[in-house]
Every structure is written in C-alpha cells, then in structure tokens.
Amino acid sequence: MSSLTPKLDTTRSQEVQIPGGGRHTGDAGDTPSSPTDLRSRAALDHSRALSLMGFQETTSNIAAASMRNELNRIVDMVPEGPQRSAFALEMDAFYSLFVRFLAQKSKGSTLNWNDVKSPGPNMIKKYQDFPKVQPEKQAGILSKLAVLKLNGGLGTTMGCVGPKSAIEVRDGMTFLDLTVRQIEYLNSENNVDVPLILMNSFNTDEDTFRIIQKYKGHKIKLLTFNQSRFPRISKEALLPMPKSPEGKSGDWYPPGHGDLFEALANSGLLDQLISEGKEYLFVSNVDNLGATVDTTILNHFVDSGAEFIMEVTNKTKADIKGGTLIDYDGSVRLLEIAQVPSAHVDDFKSVKKFNIFNTNNLWINLKAIRRLVDADALNMEIIVNNKTDSTGEKVIQLETAVGAAIKHFEKAHGINVPRNRFLPVKSTSDLLLIMSNLYGLKHGELIMNPARLFNNVPLIKLGDHFKKVQHFLQRFQKIPDILSLDHLTVTGDVTFGHDVVLEGTVIIVANQGSRIDVPSGSILNDKVVSGNLRILDH
C-alpha cells in the first residue's frame, strides 16, 4: 500500500479543472486541446485507474486475509470431531462467498444492460403445449422423484411465532399439513414412495422437528436437513460479527435458498437420494400452495433431458419486482431487481418487456447437482442484504437465490405455467384469498371454485389493522363470499359480520378515530364505504 500512496497524493495535488468538465495536470497555461496534452491526460487517466484498481485489490486482499484469520479463530474454538469438521465446512463456503463479494465490489456492476434481452421461445416453453403423461409411464417417473420444500422462514411478518409452515391456512390445516396430505395421496394413488424433504434454517429446525412427530403414523418418508448458518459481516470493518461459534442473537443468518445445493450435499442427503434411485428434485417455497407435483411438467423434464427447469408465470402489476428470466449473451439467466442498474429499474418492472416472473418452482436433476457441487461451479450472483443489528451497527448479509443457478445447468429453460401454480401466502391479504370460498380442498390441493367466472384471482389489499393473523381473524365473523370480487381495499378499523358478499370493486376506508362495522348479510357491489358505521347488538 505504501508504494501506491505517493502516486495518489501527487496526482491529486496537481489536478486543476479544465473547460468541459475534464481534468488536466500541469500548468494552467497549457492548451488543453493539444494532441500532446490529450495523450498525457489519457496516460494519466490510465495510471490513475490502475492505481485505484491496485488500491482496491490491496484493500480486498487485506479484508480477505483478516476474514480468513477470524474465521479460523472461531473454528478453533469448536472441540475437535465431526461438529468442528461440519462447522469448518460451512465457514469455508462462507469465505468463498465473501471473497467473491470482494471481487464483485472492486469491479463494480458486471451486468451490461445492452446485452439483456427478453427470452425467446427456445428458452421459455408453454405448459399448454405439453402432452399429458401416459398412465403407464406415470408411476415410473414418479418413483425417481423427491420433493423439497424451502422451510427456513418464520411467520413473524404476520405476527406469528415459529416456522411459517406451522401457520393454519385452511380448514384448521397448516402449510405443512396440506403438503404432507398431497404427497401422501400422490404415493398412495401411484404406489410409489416420493419422499418429502424440508430444508430448515437454524431458526426453524427445532420447532419443525417437534411438529413433524405428528406425521409418524402417515405413509410418507419425511426427511429434514439444515441450510448453512453464516456470520453477519460488519459493514465498516468487513469482519464477522460473532466472536465465538455461538455468538449473540442476530450474529448469524441463513444465507438464502441458493445455499440449497451445498447444504444438501454436505448433509449427506444428496448422495442418499441418488443411491436410492432418485434422479429428479422438485423444489418450491413451503408457503406456495399452488406448487404441487405436476406429472405433465415432470414428464417434459424427463423427456427433454434438461437438468434444470424453472416455472414462470405471467406478470401482473403485483409482481413487477419479482425475478425474471432473460436472454443474456445467448444463454438463459435469472435477473433479480437487485442486479438491475438504477437507470433501468423501470424497464425491469415493465410488463411489456419482461412479462413473466419466477415462481421459484424448480425441477432439478440430482446427479447434475452432484457434478456441479464437486466442481465448485455454482457461482450464483450475490445479493447484498443491508441490515442494522440490535445495537444499531450496520451489517451485511451475503445471500444467493437458488434460481440463479439455472445458468450452470445443461439444457436449462423456463416453462410458462398457469397462474394457479403460484399461490403464495406472504401476508394476510393472501390468506383471505386462500381461506375464502374462491377455493376448495381436494387431497390437500387447492382447487379453484368452478363458480368463479374468471381465471384470475381478485387483488386484495388489507391495511395495517389486518397485518397480524390474530387481528385478521378477529375482524371477520366469517370470511366473506368473494366469488365475484375483482378488487378489495380495506384500511382502518373495519370489521365484517357473517354472510357478507363482496362483488366487483369494493373500497372500505375508516379514517383515524372512525370505525366501520360491515353488517352481517351485506352485499357490497362496486361500492366505496367511508366514514363511520357501527351496528350495535341489543
């Protein structure tokens, strides 16, 4: 670093501003536009760029060495044995991610927006073009399948404690109950043994283990493993926040679902599945109730020879921030909004240019995962998640998205699927849809009510009074009939009686200090309700 300092200091001291916003080194009387001066300026700019690159590279090397030393120190605190070996493996994976982050940081954005194109028909296939699987073939392909649910999230957004998968969403059943019921029925109908795998985080592992004991009597093989536990990084010092393997609360984080491949391999489950004759893995979020095993897609996956398929579906205005598949330099890639240069964010959100988004329903070849993990070839784009810890210190989390791995797999492509394959429950607004008469249940699968005249689902926006599940449930004596609803917005202190019917566009606004009780038996068709309305029992 000392050899770089004089050069940086010298050039800075000799800079003067020249017309046109450029910079010039030398006497103020020199002619800025002379060829000699332009060559000198170009040489200086090149020298300055090299100096800056050298400075950044040196800084990155120091940060990498400091991080490695600190990680080694923490690993050495774990007693020798299998536990230390597993922990060291995790810290090696984190260190590899950290070094890539430093390289990315010094180089700046590597995405050239001019090379970003909408994917062609060779990259996005249409679900409706696929033939149904022949009945005699169905059991054969299902026998080679395993289902994995991403179960690392907590229900804190909706005011719940514990794993999100334990939230009751329909007829007293949780996300996990519905999933178990689906797989159990699939196995029973086809005389196969499709295992259900849960990828937990350290936040959900203990509670999930306790919850799944109730499925012991069910005809289903239920397997679990944990994704990695990575240390948060001090944004200023670029050092790990934990000072010991335990650390304090909030020092560690699960590094996103892109960790699936390494974590599955490290757990031993990847090799176990392959040894049992499993070849295909269907991955989805545990809170996506539309992500059921579809043998039409599985059959296409098998016949196409693809190693990776991503289900995408058409965007609505509610989906403009979701990741999308693009054609980048002739290959298929996942593009997340965090990767988009700020000047092009509106282009990214455009429904015309990018009319599909990633559902995170993925079909992956297990042997291909093994090959790529062995080759250390899964270098997905890094998502930098800025946080503030409990003490107010700025920290960063380095994460990756599982869908970003699509670029590493052979014959990978997307499938544009019907919207009913994407029914996530991220908020109580989504929960209202799932609990309503818009859907029925069949063997754990949500089926759209045939009485609904439209294929799309209503757009529902519930205000802060409905944010937590407990408060949401208290505000409905019974979930309204929404079969003919297009749009619902509710804000403020609003409650609903029983047998309420909502049709068309309904907007209900209770201003601060006001309250609206929608009376039992009300039919609201294309109505705006505001002000104060209370029905008192007597």
Side-chain angles (χ1 to χ4, degrees):
M1 283 196 46
S2 58
S3 62
L4 295 173
T5 306
K7 187 181 291 184
L8 290 171
D9 287 346
T10 303
T11 54
R12 189 182 298 115
S13 65
Q14 292 184 346
E15 282 183 352
V16 294
Q17 198 72 31
I18 62 172
R23 292 189 181 275
H24 169 60
T25 302
D27 296 333
D30 289 349
T31 306
S33 57
S34 69
T36 302
D37 182 70
L38 290 174
R39 282 194 296 273
S40 299
R41 191 192 326 162
L44 178 64
D45 287 345
H46 181 65
S47 173
R48 184 182 296 119
L50 288 177
S51 297
L52 182 58
M53 287 172 61
F55 175 79
Q56 290 172 334
E57 185 176 347
T58 303
T59 303
S60 293
N61 289 341
I62 292 171
S66 300
M67 176 63 78
R68 182 72 271 180
N69 290 337
E70 190 63 14
L71 292 175
N72 288 343
R73 186 188 67 79
I74 297 174
V75 169
D76 286 343
M77 298 172 72
V78 180
E80 286 192 21
Q83 191 176 354
R84 179 193 277 195
S85 299
F87 184 60
L89 203 60
E90 277 191 345
M91 293 307 97
D92 286 345
F94 166 76
Y95 179 70
S96 176
L97 188 65
F98 179 71
V99 169
R100 288 204 297 117
F101 159 71
L102 292 176
Q104 178 178 296
K105 188 178 177 186
S106 63
K107 290 176 184 176
S109 175
T110 56
L111 182 76
N112 184 347
W113 190 256
N114 293 329
D115 292 333
V116 174
K117 297 180 177 63
S118 299
N122 61 318
M123 292 183 181
I124 307 288
K125 312 290 184 183
K126 294 181 179 177
Y127 178 85
Q128 59 264 37
D129 292 343
F130 300 153
K132 296 290 183 184
V133 62
Q134 296 300 312
E136 64 271 14
K137 187 181 178 183
Q138 185 157 298
I141 58 176
L142 282 171
S143 68
K144 298 178 181 179
L145 179 71
V147 173
L148 189 152
K149 294 290 182 179
L150 302 171
N151 186 47
L154 296 169
T156 49
T157 305
M158 294 193 284
C160 298
V161 177
K164 189 175 183 181
S165 57
I167 297 174
E168 288 188 6
V169 288
R170 180 82 196 207
D171 298 350
M173 288 185 287
T174 67
F175 290 106
L176 204 47
D177 291 336
L178 293 173
T179 301
V180 167
R181 193 171 174 186
Q182 290 166 18
I183 302 299
E184 192 174 29
Y185 178 74
L186 182 77
N187 286 335
S188 142
E189 281 294 289
N190 296 279
N191 194 28
V192 291
D193 186 19
V194 175
L196 174 61
I197 306 164
L198 302 177
M199 183 174 86
N200 302 325
S201 68
F202 62 86
N203 289 320
T204 62
D205 177 54
E206 191 175 322
D207 285 337
T208 299
F209 179 77
R210 188 167 58 252
I211 291 167
I212 63 176
Q213 301 309 307
K214 67 180 179 179
Y215 305 124
K216 280 187 174 179
H218 292 249
K219 294 181 180 178
I220 185 171
K221 182 187 290 182
L222 214 165
L223 307 168
T224 69
F225 71 101
N226 272 17
Q227 66 183 116
S228 300
R229 185 182 69 134
F230 282 1
R232 279 179 162 176
I233 305 163
S234 165
K235 191 170 186 177
E236 184 66 29
L238 290 181
L239 288 172
M241 292 297 292
K243 305 305 176 190
S244 70
E246 296 78 24
K248 65 178 189 299
S249 176
D251 279 351
W252 302 88
Y253 72 99
H257 40 58
D259 177 56
L260 182 153
F261 306 105
E262 292 281 354
L264 185 63
N266 292 344
S267 71
L269 265 181
L270 177 59
D271 291 334
Q272 178 185 325
L273 292 170
I274 293 173
S275 69
E276 291 173 353
K278 304 301 179 185
E279 296 183 26
Y280 317 115
L281 187 67
F282 175 47
V283 178
S284 62
N285 297 335
V286 74
D287 64 0
N288 180 5
L289 293 174
T292 57
V293 173
D294 186 305
T295 53
T296 299
I297 298 176
L298 176 58
N299 186 52
H300 166 77
F301 183 47
V302 173
D303 288 349
S304 69
E307 293 183 341
F308 191 110
I309 283 178
M310 175 185 291
E311 293 184 36
V312 296
T313 195
N314 291 341
K315 268 186 182 181
T316 68
K317 290 183 179 179
D319 311 310
I320 54 175
K321 293 183 180 180
T324 188
L325 285 182
I326 60 170
D327 177 341
Y328 192 77
D329 251 357
S331 65
V332 65
R333 292 265 293 268
L334 176 67
L335 179 66
E336 300 277 5
I337 193 168
Q339 300 164 244
V340 179
S342 55
H344 298 286
V345 167
D346 288 340
D347 288 344
F348 175 83
K349 292 180 178 179
S350 167
V351 176
K352 290 183 179 178
K353 185 165 185 177
F354 301 111
N355 62 354
I356 47 117
F357 74 99
N358 171 26
T359 65
N360 220 36
N361 299 349
L362 309 169
W363 302 79
I364 313 172
N365 184 289
L366 287 165
K367 290 179 181 176
I369 295 176
R370 180 76 269 174
R371 184 188 75 242
L372 291 167
V373 168
D374 287 345
D376 196 22
L378 289 164
N379 295 324
M380 287 93 82
E381 287 76 15
I382 297 171
I383 300 166
V384 181
N385 198 344
N386 291 285
K387 299 278 187 178
T388 303
D389 80 352
S390 56
T391 66
E393 183 169 356
K394 301 291 184 184
V395 297
I396 54 177
Q397 298 180 179
L398 305 181
E399 303 174 8
T400 55
V402 62
I406 191 171
K407 62 183 179 180
H408 296 295
F409 289 83
E410 295 176 9
K411 297 185 180 180
H413 58 273
I415 295 178
N416 194 333
V417 298
R419 183 74 185 199
N420 62 7
R421 300 275 308 155
F422 184 68
L423 294 173
V425 180
K426 304 293 184 187
S427 66
T428 52
S429 298
D430 298 326
L431 192 58
L432 176 57
L433 283 172
I434 301 305
M435 295 178 72
S436 74
N437 63 338
L438 201 63
Y439 295 101
L441 267 184
K442 186 177 181 181
H443 310 300
E445 183 177 350
L446 287 172
I447 307 294
M448 176 76 78
N449 190 327
R452 170 79 174 172
L453 298 178
F454 317 103
N455 289 327
N456 64 322
V457 297
L459 179 62
I460 295 180
K461 297 179 180 178
L462 301 180
D464 288 344
H465 286 71
F466 293 78
K467 189 174 182 178
K468 295 183 177 180
V469 172
Q470 179 186 357
H471 298 157
F472 165 87
L473 295 173
Q474 289 170 350
R475 291 184 173 276
F476 292 98
Q477 287 186 33
K478 182 182 177 184
I479 300 297
D481 176 336
I482 62 170
L483 272 181
S484 300
L485 181 69
D486 297 322
H487 177 110
L488 173 67
T489 294
V490 183
T491 60
D493 186 1
V494 179
T495 61
F496 292 81
H498 56 79
D499 299 323
V500 172
V501 179
L502 305 175
E503 300 174 338
T505 296
V506 177
I507 300 172
I508 305 173
V509 179
N511 296 324
Q512 189 170 3
S514 299
R515 174 174 163 178
I516 294 176
D517 295 333
V518 179
S520 296
S522 299
I523 300 175
L524 301 181
N525 186 324
D526 288 331
K527 295 292 183 184
V528 176
V529 181
S530 62
N532 193 61
L533 174 65
R534 296 195 65 183
I535 307 297
L536 301 177
D537 292 329
H538 64 279

